[in-house]
Amino acid sequence: MRKFIFNSSIIGAVASGFAVIQTTRRGPRDWRLVLMWVSWALTVALAVGSVQQDDREARELNAK
């Protein structure tokens, strides 16, 4: 769990999530808002995937 909390890509995704939430609360509701949420979801997916890949590579190096 610690590898997710302290990873800079996860921290960035969480910070951008706050911005998307604020825009949802205060901004206009149109097609751009949907694109912001889709973009944020992709950012989170890529961040989690990169953490998992880094962990997998580290385990392979330790196994050798």
Side-chain angles (χ1 to χ4, degrees), residues 4-58:
F4 287 103
I5 295 173
F6 295 119
N7 189 287
S8 61
S9 62
I10 298 291
I11 293 170
V14 169
S16 67
F18 287 126
V20 173
I21 290 171
Q22 292 301 320
T23 303
T24 301
R25 291 176 61 203
R26 296 185 182 143
R29 308 250 174 170
D30 58 358
W31 59 272
R32 290 176 290 182
L33 184 62
V34 174
L35 289 180
M36 287 179 67
W37 279 104
V38 169
S39 172
W40 178 77
L42 290 172
T43 301
V44 170
L46 288 172
V48 169
S50 70
V51 170
Q52 289 176 342
Q53 183 178 5
D54 290 345
D55 183 54
R56 189 178 316 119
E57 290 172 358

